[in-house]
Amino acid sequence: MQRNALKVLEYAKIKEQLLGHASSSLGRDEIKNLLPSADFENVVRLQEETDEAAMLLRLKGNVPLSGIFDIRAHIKRADIGGVLSPSELVQISSTIHASRQIKRFIEDLAEEDIKVPILSEKTERIIPLAKLEEAIKNAIDESGEVLDSASELLRSLRNQIRANQARVRERLEGMIRSSSAQKMLSDAIITIRNDRFVIPVKQEYRGHYGGIIHDQSSSGQTLFIEPQAIVQLNNALQDIRVKEQLEIERILADLSAQTAEFEGELRIIVEVMGSLDFIFAKARYSRQIKGSKPLMNNEGRISLYKARHPLIPIKEVVANDILLGRDFTIIVITGPNTGGKTVTLKTVGLCTLMAQSGLQIPALDGSELAVFDSVYADIGDEQSIEQSLSTFSSHMVNIVDILKKADFNSLILFDELGAGTDPQEGAALAISILDEVYKRGARVIATTHYPELKAYGYDREGVMNASVEFDVETLSPTYKLLLGVPGRSNAFEISKRLGLDEGVINAARSHVSADTNQIDKMIASLEESRRQAERDREEANDFLKQAERLHNDMQKQMADYYVHKDNLFDKAASQAVDIVEQAKEEAEKVIRDLRKMRLEKHADIKEHELIDAKKRLAGAAPDIKRSGRKTALKDQKRIFKPGDEVKVLTFDQKGTLLEKTSDNAWNVQIGILKMKVTEKDLEYLSTPKQTEKRAVTTIKGKDFHVSLELDLRGERYENALMRVEKYLDDALLAGYPRVSIIHGKGTGALRQGVQEYLKNHRSVKKIRFGDAGEGGTGVTIVEFK
């Protein structure tokens, strides 16, 4: 990559932003050394690893990467026999712990069916050094202090130290509490000088206590004396402290030797952890800029959709679609200054450098970038005072260097090509330079003020004119890139808006050639047509969204209507049966009373008459069929034909046959809905006469009727199963081969219940958990027979 391109495109600022997302100095070192790669396979792998990390951040929110240190110097010292300090050993232990955490984290993803092959390959290299980590943690705490538990001898020595210190303090406290001490001591306290216990004695009483003077106050009035009575106790304490220090050094030497044994494994841990920290820093940076993974090619194609300059705040930057390398290899952007032409150049160049560095780009999903061998940029005023070069000369020095090296696999960015000299000669040079790079097959974006280059885009195949939109009403650029529309001068319109006399403007217009006026009018017409087309498209999209919402609402209402109707029917049937049962019971009671009367009073009532009456009462009960799926009586003589009016027994609705499907079913139009129905669920009604004109309305696509997903999250268990049953019927009617049921992870009860139900469903062929991109174990994919 040309160093000047990295500089003028401000690649270093991208790295500065990236540094803020690293968790350790290891990751920061990798970022500082980051440069774009020209190896296509390497770039693809870099993008894949960043995408894996970005996916994990989306699914998990964060990853365990804290506690990583650059321990390479520690490892080297241990390997050559040096003794490591407690803090160095703590850093080694912390890094081992971090490596074990991330290794376990990546391995656990397999249980959730989340596939991250590149990250898994890296963590597989980590050898968990749990024993070394445990040995260090048992000997040294997080603050770097060697623990009593590091060895039995150290524990014993420290117990002795504490006991001796207690005896020394006890003796000294007896001295400072005596009645004479109040006048001889500056303060009744015990302090420490040179690791020995002392008391503050006034200068004039220095000989009273004897012993050793260790220090004095700044005024010289107070002496810090170790009384003779405790010198032996302090000496004994110092002897134990020396033994303690020797034991600590022995413990540290032993831990350093253990560290040296795993020198190779520790270096691998450092390498892998640094790489993982760098990868997840890229992923976190992508989340910050709302980036996406670009599709990479080695054929020079650039397709950026809603691309943003990564160094401009998201709330301020204007997103643009930029296409290059398919139908045309050169874009010539014309128009006035401060319109955003240079920002467009830098957006393409910087996105290319980012993509070739393994970074995701600030553009929509589906954007595509090429891997170039070289990126060249001539942007801005590169005037060199030391070389006494003019603006034009400094540009030409850069351009000459570019033309020496550029080839078919180069991206070249020219800003204000040919500027800084006579307009006629500058335009001719610009055209000649563009011809040269076009012959070489390079991908080029150039900006210019020269109107001659507008015609260049029309005259040559493979060249596209473009401009940056300017709003004359607000006298400000909109920063929107317009491909296919050359820039035009807005001087007259701006002058008029600012209040310049109309006569002066008309006089100015007369000095402009008729051809120029005609071109400006044509460009203005193109801009207005484009704006109108965009307005029409937005309006059409709004209507489409409204229609989809209305359709979905109507479909839901129809489903609710059928459910409500069935419920009402069932309720009415149940009530009717109850009423009849009550009537039969009452009739039975009456008959019993009549028999009783006949037996008691010898009434003239015949038995067979009573039996006949009972039969008539039983026959009065209505034979009510419950709502549900009905099956038509097969009429062997009747052959259905398109256009026949039929009754769909499943919904108890009339419909019209449209066409027969390959699986011996029919597409039936029911109102505004079209659905697939088997012949056994159809009942023939009539065939319309040929003279009758019937309009059949069809709805395009089954996907408009039933959603491809059912979201059960938050549902109660019983309600969820009822919704699943209804949804499967709807999906089968819509003819879907596969659907998704979102039940979430939670406790797993809902997931298990749903899957048990699906396993026993007559129409379900296969079920499986979703892939990582489909929701993992929180989603069940259902395939129908």
Side-chain angles (χ1 to χ4, degrees):
M1 295 294 162
Q2 187 195 37
R3 287 193 173 275
N4 183 58
L6 297 176
K7 178 183 176 183
V8 298
L9 292 173
E10 301 177 291
Y11 181 72
K13 289 186 177 180
I14 297 294
K15 291 168 66 172
E16 285 177 14
Q17 292 185 349
L18 190 56
L19 281 170
H21 296 282
S23 301
S24 69
S25 59
L26 293 172
R28 287 189 284 274
D29 286 345
E30 293 219 19
I31 293 171
K32 290 174 184 175
N33 297 325
L34 179 64
L35 285 173
S37 169
D39 185 319
F40 177 74
E41 292 183 359
N42 184 45
V43 170
V44 171
R45 182 178 174 82
L46 291 174
Q47 285 292 340
E48 289 291 342
E49 69 183 21
T50 305
D51 193 52
E52 286 184 8
M55 177 190 68
L56 283 187
L57 289 182
R58 286 195 303 272
L59 295 176
K60 298 296 183 179
N62 210 339
V63 292
L65 278 175
S66 59
I68 305 171
F69 295 94
D70 185 357
I71 57 174
R72 288 173 290 190
H74 311 342
I75 299 169
K76 186 174 182 181
R77 282 185 52 226
D79 191 42
I80 61 176
V83 177
L84 302 181
S85 68
S87 60
E88 290 172 336
L89 288 165
V90 167
Q91 290 182 357
I92 290 174
S93 171
S94 177
T95 304
I96 294 172
H97 179 73
S99 71
R100 292 198 304 110
Q101 289 286 98
I102 192 66
K103 182 179 179 70
R104 187 183 307 117
F105 176 82
I106 297 296
E107 288 174 347
D108 288 347
L109 296 175
E111 297 179 6
E112 302 179 42
D113 202 25
I114 299 175
K115 295 181 176 62
V116 282
I118 296 177
L119 297 180
S120 296
E121 179 185 328
K122 288 182 177 293
T123 54
E124 281 174 3
R125 298 180 60 206
I126 295 175
I127 299 173
L129 302 177
K131 289 185 178 180
L132 178 59
E133 177 194 346
E134 186 179 0
I136 295 173
K137 284 185 175 180
N138 288 339
I140 307 171
D141 65 16
E142 292 181 356
S143 61
E145 292 293 327
V146 179
L147 299 170
D148 294 359
S149 58
S151 73
E152 287 300 322
L153 178 58
L154 183 62
R155 187 193 303 276
S156 174
L157 291 171
R158 285 186 172 171
N159 286 337
Q160 293 177 42
I161 288 172
R162 285 188 282 269
N164 280 18
Q165 286 177 339
R167 282 195 293 271
V168 171
R169 283 185 173 276
E170 184 179 352
R171 292 286 297 275
L172 289 174
E173 284 179 2
M175 291 180 184
I176 65 178
R177 285 188 186 137
S178 66
S179 57
S180 60
Q182 294 182 2
K183 65 177 183 177
M184 290 187 287
L185 299 179
S186 298
D187 200 355
I189 62 170
I190 301 170
T191 185
I192 296 175
R193 291 292 187 274
N194 300 324
D195 289 334
R196 298 176 80 90
F197 289 99
V198 297
I199 55 177
V201 181
K202 293 178 181 178
Q203 173 72 28
E204 58 267 30
Y205 298 105
R206 61 185 297 175
H208 180 77
Y209 290 98
I212 304 168
I213 298 172
H214 287 278
D215 198 3
Q216 69 177 10
S217 66
S218 57
S219 64
Q221 296 301 311
T222 301
L223 301 177
F224 294 94
I225 297 176
E226 178 185 358
Q228 185 64 42
I230 67 162
V231 169
Q232 292 300 324
L233 290 175
N234 268 336
N235 287 342
L237 186 59
Q238 286 300 105
D239 288 342
I240 299 172
R241 281 177 175 158
V242 170
K243 293 177 182 177
E244 176 199 27
Q245 191 58 41
L246 290 174
E247 178 62 11
I248 288 174
E249 289 178 3
R250 186 197 67 76
I251 292 168
L252 295 179
D254 181 55
L255 291 174
S256 300
Q258 290 182 50
T259 300
E261 291 178 14
F262 299 104
E263 179 260 346
E265 292 86 344
L266 287 169
R267 290 191 182 279
I268 292 174
I269 286 175
V270 170
E271 178 189 342
V272 173
M273 296 306 288
S275 176
L276 290 175
D277 188 18
F278 169 59
I279 292 169
F280 280 98
K282 293 190 294 179
R284 283 189 283 267
Y285 178 64
S286 174
R287 184 164 59 180
Q288 175 191 322
I289 63 172
K290 299 188 184 301
S292 66
K293 173 190 170 186
L295 304 173
M296 304 305 300
N297 67 79
N298 54 3
E299 299 170 2
R301 295 192 308 276
I302 296 176
S303 301
L304 295 174
Y305 303 109
K306 300 299 179 186
R308 295 171 275 109
H309 193 291
L311 299 178
I312 301 177
I314 293 177
K315 294 181 179 179
E316 300 175 15
V317 70
V318 175
N320 278 306
D321 294 344
I322 306 169
L323 307 175
L324 180 67
R326 195 181 296 273
D327 298 325
F328 46 88
T329 57
I330 296 180
I331 297 177
V332 178
I333 308 176
T334 52
N337 276 334
T338 70
K341 301 193 304 295
T342 303
V343 171
T344 301
L345 280 185
K346 288 187 173 182
T347 299
V348 175
L350 203 47
C351 284
T352 298
L353 295 178
M354 289 172 67
Q356 293 187 216
S357 303
L359 298 172
Q360 296 191 343
I361 60 171
L364 293 183
D365 287 333
S367 295
E368 186 175 11
L369 283 168
V371 176
F372 294 102
D373 290 338
S374 303
V375 176
Y376 301 102
D378 178 56
I379 299 175
D381 185 0
E382 298 295 326
Q383 182 174 348
S384 172
I385 297 174
E386 292 83 0
Q387 298 179 22
S388 300
L389 295 175
S390 67
T391 301
F392 174 76
S393 298
S394 64
H395 277 294
M396 286 311 300
V397 168
N398 199 15
I399 291 171
V400 168
D401 185 57
I402 292 172
L403 292 180
K404 285 179 180 178
K405 303 173 182 175
D407 58 16
F408 71 95
N409 201 28
S410 299
L411 173 64
I412 307 175
L413 307 172
F414 291 125
D415 190 27
E416 300 300 343
L417 185 59
T421 186
D422 176 77
Q424 189 171 0
E425 292 183 355
L429 267 175
I431 291 172
S432 179
I433 291 168
L434 289 177
D435 280 341
E436 178 62 24
V437 292
Y438 177 74
K439 289 176 187 175
R440 300 187 188 185
R443 302 311 189 251
V444 184
I445 303 179
T447 69
T448 180
H449 278 107
Y450 298 133
E452 290 85 349
L453 267 74
K454 297 176 188 177
Y456 180 85
Y458 286 112
D459 293 343
R460 286 165 176 78
E461 185 179 354
V463 181
M464 175 63 70
N465 274 321
S467 60
V468 181
E469 187 180 57
F470 188 89
D471 191 338
V472 179
E473 295 298 321
T474 61
L475 302 182
S476 62
T478 66
Y479 302 103
K480 289 184 179 178
L481 182 68
L482 309 177
L483 286 174
V485 179
R488 65 187 180 96
S489 172
N490 297 296
F492 295 152
E493 289 80 357
I494 294 172
S495 300
K496 184 177 179 181
R497 292 276 299 168
L498 293 175
L500 187 63
D501 186 82
E502 188 75 27
V504 176
I505 295 175
N506 290 334
R509 290 185 191 277
S510 66
H511 295 297
V512 179
S513 67
D515 288 344
T516 301
N517 279 327
Q518 186 68 24
I519 290 173
D520 282 346
K521 288 180 181 178
M522 178 191 70
I523 294 172
S525 175
L526 281 172
E527 290 180 352
E528 178 57 33
S529 298
R530 183 195 59 80
R531 281 193 290 267
Q532 183 60 45
E534 285 188 353
R535 287 194 293 268
D536 291 344
R537 184 182 65 182
E538 290 176 0
E539 187 177 355
N541 283 336
D542 289 340
F543 280 127
L544 178 60
K545 290 177 181 176
Q546 290 178 14
E548 288 178 352
R549 283 196 298 269
L550 288 172
H551 176 82
N552 291 335
D553 289 345
M554 182 183 61
Q555 187 179 17
K556 184 178 183 300
Q557 289 175 12
M558 283 193 68
D560 292 343
Y561 161 74
Y562 287 128
V563 171
H564 183 61
K565 186 188 75 170
D566 289 345
N567 290 338
L568 288 178
F569 184 86
D570 290 344
K571 184 177 179 181
S574 179
Q575 290 176 348
V577 170
D578 290 342
I579 292 170
V580 173
E581 288 295 330
Q582 291 176 5
K584 288 169 68 176
E585 289 178 5
E586 185 65 27
E588 288 284 356
K589 184 179 177 183
V590 171
I591 292 173
R592 284 197 301 271
D593 290 343
L594 289 173
R595 284 175 175 164
K596 186 177 179 182
M597 289 171 60
R598 185 184 65 177
L599 293 173
E600 291 178 354
K601 300 181 179 181
H602 303 286
D604 189 15
I605 301 174
K606 304 295 186 184
E607 182 66 27
H608 72 274
E609 292 176 341
L610 292 174
I611 294 172
D612 289 341
K614 184 177 179 181
K615 286 183 179 180
R616 288 197 301 271
L617 286 169
D623 183 15
I624 300 172
K625 295 181 180 178
R626 298 284 177 174
S627 63
R629 196 173 188 87
K630 303 176 182 178
T631 305
L633 294 174
K634 294 183 179 179
D635 186 354
Q636 301 296 336
K637 298 179 180 179
R638 180 65 206 173
I639 299 175
F640 291 113
K641 295 180 181 179
D644 284 353
E645 288 188 349
V646 294
K647 182 177 182 180
V648 181
L649 300 178
T650 306
F651 298 108
D652 194 23
Q653 293 290 316
K654 291 183 180 180
T656 303
L657 296 182
L658 299 178
E659 58 184 356
K660 195 169 185 179
T661 63
S662 58
D663 54 353
N664 206 31
W666 284 87
N667 286 329
V668 183
Q669 190 72 43
I670 305 174
I672 66 167
L673 297 176
K674 183 177 75 172
M675 58 180 59
K676 186 176 177 182
V677 184
T678 59
E679 285 194 359
K680 66 178 182 178
D681 289 331
L682 298 175
E683 181 180 313
Y684 172 76
L685 296 178
S686 65
T687 301
K689 296 180 179 178
Q690 295 296 327
T691 56
E692 294 180 1
K693 296 182 178 180
R694 296 183 178 271
V696 178
T697 305
T698 61
I699 303 297
K700 293 183 178 180
K702 300 171 185 174
D703 293 351
F704 287 92
H705 302 313
V706 182
S707 172
L708 287 169
E709 294 180 346
L710 174 63
D711 193 345
L712 298 176
R713 289 174 292 183
E715 288 281 352
R716 294 177 63 86
Y717 182 85
E718 294 78 11
N719 293 340
L721 292 186
M722 290 175 62
R723 287 191 61 195
V724 170
E725 181 180 11
K726 173 71 172 60
Y727 176 70
L728 293 180
D729 289 341
D730 292 344
L732 286 166
L733 286 172
Y736 292 159
R738 183 185 301 103
V739 294
S740 301
I741 297 179
I742 305 171
H743 41 62
K745 298 174 183 175
T747 62
L750 180 58
R751 173 179 61 194
Q752 184 177 356
V754 169
Q755 292 201 342
E756 285 297 325
Y757 176 84
L758 293 172
K759 289 176 183 176
N760 298 319
H761 196 281
R762 63 186 181 283
S763 300
V764 174
K765 176 182 178 183
K766 177 184 177 185
I767 63 171
R768 63 175 175 82
F769 284 125
D771 293 329
E774 296 173 322
T777 56
V779 175
T780 294
I781 308 301
V782 183
E783 295 183 15
F784 295 118
K785 296 178 180 177

